[in-house]
Amino acid sequence: MLKSMNKKQILPILTLFILVSISLQPTHNNVKAEFQKGSIENLEDWFTTTNLVNFTQDYRINIFFNIANDTLGYALAPRLSFHTNMNLPLNFTSYLNNDIQEGSTKFGLQIGSSSGNFTLGLNGTIIVVTPSTGPIYINVTEGESETFANFETLLGENLTIPVNFNPVSFALNDINIPEFPEIETVGVELAPYFLLEGTISLKAVVLGEELTWTNPDDIYFTDVLVDDENDLFNTLISNITLDFTDVKLKFIGLEAAIFYDTPIGTIIQNFEFDFSSIEWVEGEQSLGEVFIFLVDSLFVIPDFEVYVSIVRTPFSILAILSAISTLSVLVFVRKRRSS
């Protein structure tokens, strides 16, 4: 059969067969996500998108219990509301190499944290009963702190992060002290200061693989498939958790104020205490465990989807090559016919 064909018939058929074979080849290969740390040499070779997501959590615990001794006539009944608020902004930066060949390219992901804060507060009433008095109501009022435990980043090794409580005021109103009849109210305001020390990492599952960021500058890369019809590449970041290592909460100072309300005004005495030079390893580790419990139990980071925009050229390289080949064949056939 081939012998009966002349050269004019074989060349167009062969060219058409090559073009059809190229167009029918699968554009997506089965690429398994195997991430490796790397770096960006030339940012112009990558499509990049950065998303700043502010994760916040406000959790409130009501503390109600009674302690009484009928024989001695003492009773203690706190009615308090303890709450925490954590503000953790996270930067998700996605990288996609603009060299997309046969639907496959490189994808990179970087996760870091920005400036945030962590606050603790306490409000309510403490009821105290003694043999010589009736119920005494101590009002617990949360004040406003001038510094809200601001930190530059929550991820890294050997961090030192301030954790500041809002000032708490304990006030005893309408008191009757025979020795000081002019005093109507006695109160104490306390503002403790702590430092969180240790290493904090972020773990997340990306494309089925668990990755860990301790250094916010780390970038993980893997091969991914890119659909020719889509202008966005997106993937889900799930199971986002914080991991704490050798964390301790160090009590470094306390500001206190005692105030007396009298008919002529309020008398205030201020005190400052520095505990930074005091070593209390076991207590600091125990306080660190309490902090970890609060963060792990009360602060949940939901799953998040990252994306990166793909800027495509108007014509694909394959289409251009196909058009050039077809045009060359037509010109060659026309020349042969004319000769």
Side-chain angles (χ1 to χ4, degrees), residues 278-296:
I278 298 176
E279 294 291 337
W280 188 33
V281 178
E282 293 181 358
E284 293 170 355
Q285 291 176 346
S286 299
L287 291 174
E289 291 175 359
V290 172
F291 177 85
I292 294 174
F293 167 77
L294 289 174
V295 175
D296 283 347

Side-chain angles (χ1 to χ4, degrees), residues 166-180:
N166 289 347
V168 179
S169 297
F170 300 87
L172 186 59
N173 299 320
D174 299 327
I175 63 172
N176 184 13
I177 305 176
E179 294 81 0
F180 304 97

Side-chain angles (χ1 to χ4, degrees), residues 118-120 149 161-165 192-196 249 291:
F118 182 81
T119 61
L120 300 172
I161 299 174
V163 178
N164 297 333
F165 287 80
Y193 295 93
F194 292 85
L195 288 179
L196 180 69
L249 198 60
F291 177 85

Side-chain angles (χ1 to χ4, degrees), residues 2-3 12 24 46 69 81 87 117 132 204 222 258 329 336:
L2 292 177
K3 291 182 179 180
L24 293 180
W46 299 81
N69 190 316
S81 176
N87 174 33
N117 55 67
S132 59
T222 189
I258 301 177
V329 170
R336 295 285 294 176

Side-chain angles (χ1 to χ4, degrees), residues 61-194:
I61 305 172
N62 293 324
I63 306 173
F64 296 161
F65 64 89
N66 299 324
I67 300 176
N69 190 316
D70 296 334
T71 304
L72 299 177
Y74 289 95
L76 178 66
R79 300 290 185 265
L80 301 174
S81 176
F82 174 78
H83 71 89
T84 67
N85 183 277
M86 187 171 183
N87 174 33
L88 176 59
L90 293 178
N91 280 312
F92 294 83
T93 303
S94 305
Y95 302 89
L96 195 71
N97 196 288
N98 54 29
D99 184 16
I100 303 175
Q101 297 182 359
E102 297 183 356
S104 178
T105 189
K106 289 285 185 181
F107 168 73
L109 182 64
Q110 179 182 9
I111 300 179
S113 64
S114 296
S115 300
N117 55 67
F118 182 81
T119 61
L120 300 172
L122 191 66
N123 290 282
T125 302
I126 301 176
I127 305 173
V128 180
V129 178
T130 68
S132 59
T133 66
I136 300 174
Y137 296 89
I138 302 175
N139 296 321
V140 182
T141 305
E142 177 185 349
E144 294 185 359
S145 176
E146 295 181 359
T147 303
F148 276 166
N150 296 318
F151 51 80
E152 293 299 324
T153 179
L154 196 65
L155 301 180
E157 297 181 342
N158 301 320
L159 293 172
T160 299
I161 299 174
V163 178
N164 297 333
F165 287 80
N166 289 347
V168 179
S169 297
F170 300 87
L172 186 59
N173 299 320
D174 299 327
I175 63 172
N176 184 13
I177 305 176
E179 294 81 0
F180 304 97
E182 70 278 4
I183 297 179
E184 300 174 350
T185 300
V186 176
V188 177
E189 184 176 86
L190 303 177
Y193 295 93
F194 292 85

